[in-house]
Amino acid sequence: MSGILYGVGVGPGDPELMTLKAVRLIRENDIIAVPGAEAKETVAYKIAVQAVPELAEKTLLPVYMPMTHDREEMKRNHQKGAELLESYLSRGLNVVFLTLGDPCVYSTYTYLQKLVMDDGFRTELVSGITSFCAAAARLNLPLSEWNEQLHILPAAHHSDAELKDGGNYVLMKSGRKMSQVKELLKNSGRDVYMVENCGMENEHVYHGTEEIPDNAGYYSLIIAKETRKNS
Amino acid sequence: MSGILYGVGVGPGDPELMTLKAVRLIRENDIIAVPGAEAKETVAYKIAVQAVPELAEKTLLPVYMPMTHDREEMKRNHQKGAELLESYLSRGLNVVFLTLGDPCVYSTYTYLQKLVMDDGFRTELVSGITSFCAAAARLNLPLSEWNEQLHILPAAHHSDAELKDGGNYVLMKSGRKMSQVKELLKNSGRDVYMVENCGMENEHVYHGTEEIPDNAGYYSLIIAKETRKNS
């Protein structure tokens, strides 16, 4: 019988935000895949090994899928990754693929999973704490209350047309276009917070667009909240 | 010195989706508050006690805040709850308040926290797995990929004006207006899934509006995904 591919979220950075299920699956299985060129250099590995030290002794599969705008190259990388995972699954071995945050929210892992499922293998997802939940907890703020809508926008967005609807906004990975994003936020009439490297060593918290630097890091997450009339 | 109030998410139902930090805080503290009239009958307690059996022997504080549209009554209940928590905090005892899912996402707890903070006490939030992440994992589906936006709508919404923007939608607690919501979903041109009681004993999964019953339960969560042109 073939093995199962588990896509397991390790949360945003703090190893204590890993779930009991993530810890158990890493402990119970020997083949652990991580996204990156050097397994022990990946963020997912560095988080998980703090909670499960025996991870260091397991068989680690680095699955390298660099960011690219070349669709064909991206597909080739996904295909190569899927083949690597399947070479273990077909021998009856489970593979636990560790992803940052939650595997269902903007994770490259879901592309791999689709290919592996199409080839007839069993897959399972295990939720992790999302970066936006962790950032809100770090700020000691609700993300959404009562009848507020919550909109999550990936980095590719953030154009002038946005932030016009009612509700609170989460802007993911805005780093590269920060000056443009700050302009957009200023005009939105919202209360703006940013958390850089949430739960990691070099974490930094900002309140108000004036405080946010133009050269913010890749793992920067912005929360823009409606100012509530009554509370 | 006063105690600290911890708002701790226990996740959506499966006790294995609790974080290591939630488990540690419950173990290390003696006063555990839960939302409901009878502590041991609350969903949050029932989830947590499976992961931390010694919870049954702790001092349990039921904080009853029933759903009401009477704003004054609601405020009185929040005030009473905050006073109960503060009676322990002011004696130097920490209180761990357990909430279903994540404390930052549509949790009644944040009202209590605000009152307790206004009275000068220290508070901290600990993220939990959200119901929408768990439902997507249960369906083995990504919630959002690549440049897709993700919109989370609370029960109070779901009017005709919605589901018109691009992106994927999560509709929380649609149970009471289900026939109306199904109509809206049919017209949205989206691929629709529903998970009832995710991770609990009486869990049920539906695909397509035809499958969804008009009398779905309170803990029903709908995911409406854009149909992708290429993948």
Side-chain angles (χ1 to χ4, degrees):
Chain A
M1 216 173 79
S2 298
I4 300 171
L5 174 62
Y6 293 96
V8 174
V10 297
D14 177 353
E16 266 208 298
L17 290 184
M18 286 174 64
T19 63
L20 300 176
K21 189 164 186 178
V23 169
R24 177 175 63 79
L25 285 171
I26 296 170
R27 286 216 174 109
E28 287 180 357
N29 292 284
D30 296 321
I31 319 290
I32 314 290
V34 287
E38 290 288 337
K40 293 196 175 180
E41 295 305 314
T42 63
V43 183
Y45 173 85
K46 286 180 181 172
I47 294 170
V49 76
Q50 293 176 70
V52 194
E54 59 264 45
L55 174 57
E57 313 305 325
K58 308 235 171 197
T59 300
L60 299 173
L61 306 180
V63 179
Y64 189 44
M65 300 172 289
M67 285 267 216
T68 169
H69 288 282
D70 179 340
R71 275 191 91 85
E72 288 309 312
E73 191 190 330
M74 201 173 69
K75 275 192 186 171
R76 272 197 306 277
N77 289 330
H78 292 163
Q79 195 58 52
K80 251 171 59 185
E83 280 164 19
L84 176 64
L85 301 176
E86 291 178 11
S87 71
Y88 289 86
L89 298 172
S90 58
R91 282 186 275 153
L93 296 163
N94 295 339
V95 179
V96 174
F97 193 107
L98 303 181
T99 68
L100 203 58
D102 180 277
C104 296
V105 178
Y106 304 114
S107 168
T108 321
Y109 168 74
T110 47
Y111 300 105
L112 287 176
Q113 173 173 301
K114 194 176 176 310
L115 294 172
V116 169
M117 282 172 79
D118 287 349
D119 288 335
F121 293 95
R122 257 183 75 195
T123 66
E124 256 185 56
L125 291 166
V126 178
S127 303
I129 300 292
T130 62
S131 55
F132 51 85
C133 285
R138 174 62 187 79
L139 294 163
N140 216 9
L141 274 181
L143 268 178
S144 55
E145 292 178 284
W146 196 242
N147 63 356
E148 290 173 348
Q149 300 194 6
L150 176 62
H151 309 282
I152 322 285
L153 272 53
H157 280 264
H158 312 171
S159 74
D160 278 357
E162 282 152 8
L163 274 72
K164 294 228 165 115
D165 284 345
N168 300 329
Y169 283 81
V170 170
L171 310 186
M172 316 264 292
K173 299 174 186 164
S174 310
R176 273 185 302 170
K177 308 188 206 168
M178 193 54 83
S179 62
Q180 199 181 319
V181 169
K182 279 164 66 178
E183 212 44 48
L184 179 68
L185 289 165
K186 265 183 213 159
N187 300 329
S188 75
R190 283 183 166 77
D191 199 14
V192 175
Y193 302 85
M194 186 172 92
V195 184
E196 210 173 359
N197 305 309
C198 186
M200 304 191 194
E201 252 175 49
N202 45 354
E203 180 186 83
H204 209 300
V205 167
Y206 307 87
H207 185 194
T209 48
E210 302 74 21
E211 277 193 11
I212 297 177
D214 284 344
N215 59 346
Y218 178 72
Y219 289 115
S220 296
L221 188 142
I222 290 167
I223 296 173
K225 294 196 64 174
E226 282 189 305
T227 42
R228 284 170 76 80
K229 295 110 218 162
N230 47 12
S231 60
Chain B
M1 214 174 78
S2 298
I4 300 171
L5 173 62
Y6 293 96
V8 174
V10 297
D14 177 353
E16 266 209 298
L17 290 183
M18 286 174 64
T19 64
L20 300 176
K21 189 165 185 177
V23 168
R24 176 175 64 79
L25 286 171
I26 295 170
R27 286 216 175 108
E28 287 180 359
N29 292 285
D30 296 321
I31 319 289
I32 314 288
V34 288
E38 289 289 339
K40 294 197 175 182
E41 295 305 313
T42 64
V43 183
Y45 173 84
K46 286 180 181 173
I47 294 170
V49 77
Q50 294 176 72
V52 194
E54 59 264 45
L55 174 57
E57 312 306 324
K58 308 233 170 199
T59 300
L60 299 172
L61 306 181
V63 179
Y64 190 43
M65 299 172 290
M67 285 270 216
T68 168
H69 288 280
D70 179 341
R71 274 191 90 85
E72 287 309 312
E73 190 191 330
M74 200 173 70
K75 277 192 184 171
R76 272 198 306 278
N77 288 330
H78 292 164
Q79 195 57 53
K80 251 171 59 185
E83 281 165 18
L84 176 64
L85 301 176
E86 290 177 12
S87 72
Y88 289 85
L89 297 171
S90 59
R91 281 185 276 152
L93 296 163
N94 295 339
V95 179
V96 174
F97 193 107
L98 305 182
T99 68
L100 203 57
D102 180 276
C104 295
V105 177
Y106 304 113
S107 168
T108 321
Y109 168 74
T110 48
Y111 300 104
L112 286 175
Q113 173 173 300
K114 194 175 179 310
L115 294 172
V116 169
M117 282 172 78
D118 287 349
D119 288 336
F121 293 95
R122 255 183 77 194
T123 65
E124 254 184 58
L125 291 167
V126 178
S127 303
I129 301 292
T130 61
S131 56
F132 51 86
C133 284
R138 174 62 188 79
L139 294 164
N140 216 8
L141 274 182
L143 267 178
S144 55
E145 291 178 283
W146 196 243
N147 63 356
E148 290 173 348
Q149 300 194 6
L150 176 63
H151 308 282
I152 322 285
L153 273 54
H157 280 264
H158 312 171
S159 74
D160 278 354
E162 283 152 8
L163 275 71
K164 293 227 167 117
D165 283 345
N168 300 329
Y169 283 81
V170 170
L171 310 185
M172 316 263 294
K173 299 173 186 166
S174 310
R176 271 185 304 171
K177 307 189 208 166
M178 193 53 82
S179 62
Q180 199 180 320
V181 170
K182 278 164 66 177
E183 212 44 50
L184 179 66
L185 289 166
K186 266 183 214 159
N187 300 329
S188 75
R190 283 183 167 76
D191 199 14
V192 175
Y193 301 85
M194 186 172 93
V195 183
E196 209 174 0
N197 304 309
C198 187
M200 303 192 196
E201 251 175 50
N202 44 354
E203 180 186 82
H204 209 299
V205 168
Y206 307 86
H207 185 195
T209 47
E210 301 74 22
E211 277 193 11
I212 298 176
D214 283 345
N215 60 347
Y218 178 71
Y219 288 115
S220 295
L221 188 141
I222 290 167
I223 297 174
K225 293 197 66 175
E226 281 188 308
T227 42
R228 283 171 76 81
K229 294 111 218 164
N230 46 13
S231 62

